[in-house]
């Protein structure tokens, strides 16, 4: 796509909305600890007059947490979002959003009553029009200030417990970069002290549900921004690839001819500035990332530490990972063995499922391979390849869900690291979502993957209809067999009456016992790179 065409798109596409709702980023809301904005559709908080929702107290989970985080009351993300708000909009029916003004991900229409299903496609299988549109939408998001959301540039204590709000505008793309930074940042303990063994979206069970919601929210904001309700994120299928085949100027940006650490000037991503990539500076100053520009996007794929990531992920790696029956295991962190989540995330060996944090494979391995902005957790979402990468990771999660069909209760309810229990609200999303709500098939959330569409489990009703149709077709044969069986039975009975004797000495026939199954081990089902 030419720069002129992109400029035209930037000029004609309407502005959109997208983690702090702007309507609640003020001292009044913070001091009242209430975020229940008015829905413009009827002028009432949470659209209550229209039956969309109501303002209610948040219900926090009291399930015990794992031992990885030894503090309490020192991090704003603990018991999210209670430090900032303890009353929010809780939406009814098919409505969602911070003021219940939107439809759930799988519904559309004026009253959110029409179901929809969208399909995510391989970036190499979309049309030139779809590819150019995707690139233009990325650039548009990078240059459009979010109407609905702002970012926090200070902790609640630094805001003087709400009387001195510290928020800032941010563009729509960087809003999501900041969210990924905020969820994975270290805990500030005062002075120069920090606690690093904490992450509300990685290294534990919530890794896959959190990123699933993250992509859905990002996709949803782009749909609103552009007015294109059918837009979907493409995925990059990196299985068995030998290099970064999306690293070209007509896709995600090629290599600079003289400086291999930055992007080619032929890609408009070369002009992008990154944010939230200097975690050590923020820690030393005991400050949060404030969203200011910090330099160009860095990427040098393939010139990484090969001792840590010898190769890109293979189909065999993925297939072994999918064969694992437990979603989560053991300590439910990066030391977990035989855990599907830990193996897919890349902390466990993709051939044995044994934890090995000195190596990075699958999800983590791809981040390391990019050798730049993508390789540092907190700022990794700056690189637009992040979206393509996490879409394929989400599709592998989806494959696992379809293959094993776990109940939602399989997701750990207690003793996971902080932020990762089933009923914990995901940081830093407002409106609120719990981890367990996204431990379900993507089809229930209104989207599918092109390469998985033929692999969906057959619904019971459809299977029943199919079997009934087959039975109807062979019914005459069944009747005939029944009649013949009746005749044979009569003949055998007659033989017995007439004195036909069984051969003596035959041992009694034995059958295998239908034993009750043992109490099988309960099947339970990120990323410092």
């Amino acid at each position: 796509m030419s720069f002129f065409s992109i400029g035209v798109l930037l000029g004609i596409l309407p502005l959109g909305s997208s983690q702090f709702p702007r309507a609640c980023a003020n001292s009044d809301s913070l001091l009242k600890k209430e975020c229940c904005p008015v829905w413009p559709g009827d002028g009432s908080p949470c659209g209550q007059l229209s039956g969309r929702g109501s303002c209610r107290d948040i219900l926090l989970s009291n399930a015990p947490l794992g031992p990885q985080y030894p503090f309490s009351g020192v991090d704003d993300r603990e018991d999210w979002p209670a430090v900032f708000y303890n009353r929010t909009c809780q939406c009814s029916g098919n409505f969602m959003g911070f003021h219940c003004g939107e439809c759930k991900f799988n519904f559309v229409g004026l009253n959110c009553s029409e179901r929809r299903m969208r399909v995510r496609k391989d970036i190499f299988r979309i049309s030139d029009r779809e590819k150019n549109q995707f690139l233009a939408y990325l650039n548009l998001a990078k240059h459009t200030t979010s109407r609905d959301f702002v970012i926090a540039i200070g902790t609640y204590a630094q805001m003087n417990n709400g009387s001195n709000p510290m928020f800032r505008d941010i563009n729509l793309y960087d809003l999501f970069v900041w969210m990924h930074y905020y969820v994975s940042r270290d805990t500030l303990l005062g002075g120069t002290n920090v606690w690093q063994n904490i992450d509300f979206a990685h290294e534990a069970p919530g890794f896959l549900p959190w990123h699933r919601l993250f992509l859905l929210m990002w996709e949803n904001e782009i749909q609103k921004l552009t007015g294109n309700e059918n837009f979907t994120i493409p995925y990059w299928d990196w299985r068995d690839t030998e290099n970064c085949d999306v690293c070209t100027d007509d896709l995600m940006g090629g290599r600079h001819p003289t400086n291999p650490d930055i992007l080619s000037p032929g890609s408009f991503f070369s002009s992008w500035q990154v944010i939230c990539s200097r975690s050590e500076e923020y820690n030393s100053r005991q400050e949060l990332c404030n969203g200011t520009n910090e330099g160009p996007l860095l990427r040098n794929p393939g010139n990484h530490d090969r001792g840590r990531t010898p190769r890109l992920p293979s189909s065999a790696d993925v297939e072994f990972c999918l064969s694992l029956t437990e979603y989560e295991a053991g300590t439910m962190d990066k030391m977990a063995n035989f855990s599907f989540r830990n193996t897919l995330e890349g902390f466990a060996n993709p051939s044995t499922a044994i934890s090995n944090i000195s190596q990075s494979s699958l999800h983590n391995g791809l981040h390391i391979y990019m050798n730049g902005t993508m390789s540092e957790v907190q700022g990794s979402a700056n690189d637009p390849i992040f979206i393509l990468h996490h879409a394929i990771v989400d599709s592998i999660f989806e494959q696992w869900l379809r293959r094993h069909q776990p109940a939602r209760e399989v997701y750990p309810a207690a003793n996971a690291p902080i932020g990762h229990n089933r009923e914990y609200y995901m940081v830093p999303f407002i409106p609120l979502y719990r981890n367990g709500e996204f431990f379900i098939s993507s089809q229930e959330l209104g989207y599918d993957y092109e390469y998985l569409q033929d692999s969906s489990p057959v619904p019971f009703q459809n299977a029943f209809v199919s079997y009934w149709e087959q039975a109807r077709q062979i019914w005459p044969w069944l009747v005939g067999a029944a009649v013949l069986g009746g005749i044979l039975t009569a003949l055998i009975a007659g033989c017995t009456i007439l004195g036909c004797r069984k051969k003596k000495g035959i041992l009694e026939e034995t059958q295998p016992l239908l034993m009750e199954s043992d109490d099988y081990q309960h099947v339970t089902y990120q990323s410092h790179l």
Side-chain angles (χ1 to χ4, degrees), residues 61 63-71 77-79 195-207 327-336 339 341-342 345 411-425 427 435 525-526:
S61 170
L65 303 172
Q68 294 86 350
Y69 181 71
F71 305 101
R77 299 166 296 178
E78 299 174 32
D79 289 326
W195 182 262
Q196 295 184 320
N197 190 24
I198 186 171
D199 195 313
F200 289 79
H202 303 88
E203 304 180 17
F207 167 66
Y327 178 74
E328 198 54 89
T331 54
M332 296 185 280
D333 56 19
K334 59 186 175 183
M335 302 304 295
S339 155
R341 186 276 314 163
N342 204 37
E345 191 167 359
Y411 187 99
N415 300 315
I418 187 171
H420 291 266
N421 284 343
R422 186 197 309 151
E423 300 303 315
Y424 209 104
Y425 288 121
V427 177
N435 288 302
Y525 284 42
Q526 90 172 5

Side-chain angles (χ1 to χ4, degrees), residues 85-208:
Y85 313 107
N86 54 33
R87 285 173 62 81
T88 63
C89 287
Q90 305 206 16
C91 306
S92 307
N94 300 331
F95 303 112
M96 76 170 190
F98 63 89
H99 55 21
C100 301
E102 300 181 21
C103 299
K104 285 184 176 179
F105 297 114
N106 54 334
F107 288 92
V108 292
L110 189 62
N111 296 310
C112 303
S113 58
E114 303 168 32
R115 288 189 176 275
R116 70 169 178 180
M117 181 66 67
R118 294 163 293 112
V119 179
R120 293 178 181 172
K121 302 177 182 178
D122 188 324
I123 194 166
F124 288 109
R125 295 173 61 89
I126 60 178
S127 67
D128 287 343
R129 178 182 174 277
E130 290 172 315
K131 179 193 70 176
N132 291 336
Q133 187 180 68
F134 171 60
L135 298 177
Y137 287 178
L138 284 170
N139 215 39
L140 177 62
K142 187 74 170 177
H143 293 87
T144 303
T145 300
S146 173
R147 283 184 173 177
D148 289 345
F149 288 89
V150 292
I151 62 170
I153 59 173
T155 65
Y156 190 70
Q158 291 168 347
M159 296 185 196
N160 196 21
N161 298 327
S163 63
N164 179 34
M166 297 173 66
F167 298 99
R168 178 179 174 174
D169 287 341
I170 196 164
N171 70 64
L172 196 54
Y173 187 93
D174 287 351
L175 169 66
F176 285 85
V177 177
W178 182 89
M179 289 167 66
H180 195 264
Y181 147 79
Y182 188 82
V183 76
S184 55
R185 69 175 179 85
D186 302 328
T187 293
L188 306 178
L189 297 174
T192 58
N193 298 318
V194 298
W195 182 262
Q196 295 184 320
N197 190 24
I198 186 171
D199 195 313
F200 289 79
H202 303 88
E203 304 180 17
F207 167 66
L208 292 167

Side-chain angles (χ1 to χ4, degrees), residues 124 236-248 251 253 255 299-304 306 310-313 366 369-370 385:
F124 288 109
W236 172 31
D237 190 348
W238 34 243
R239 292 173 295 182
D240 301 319
T241 190
E242 296 181 358
N243 52 53
C244 181
D245 48 11
V246 296
C247 295
T248 60
L251 284 175
R255 197 187 302 270
R299 190 195 300 155
N300 191 345
N303 291 320
H304 60 291
R306 293 183 179 272
R311 57 176 175 79
L312 287 171
L366 198 284
Y369 173 86
M370 287 299 160
I385 290 180

Side-chain angles (χ1 to χ4, degrees), residues 200-242:
F200 289 79
H202 303 88
E203 304 180 17
F207 167 66
L208 292 167
W210 190 94
H211 285 85
R212 170 162 283 192
L213 173 60
F214 182 82
L215 291 185
L216 273 168
M217 293 285 284
W218 194 91
E219 200 169 56
N220 190 54
E221 289 302 317
I222 295 297
Q223 291 165 4
K224 292 190 295 179
L225 173 66
T226 62
N228 181 359
E229 287 189 349
N230 296 316
F231 167 76
T232 56
I233 294 169
Y235 57 86
W236 172 31
D237 190 348
W238 34 243
R239 292 173 295 182
D240 301 319
T241 190
E242 296 181 358

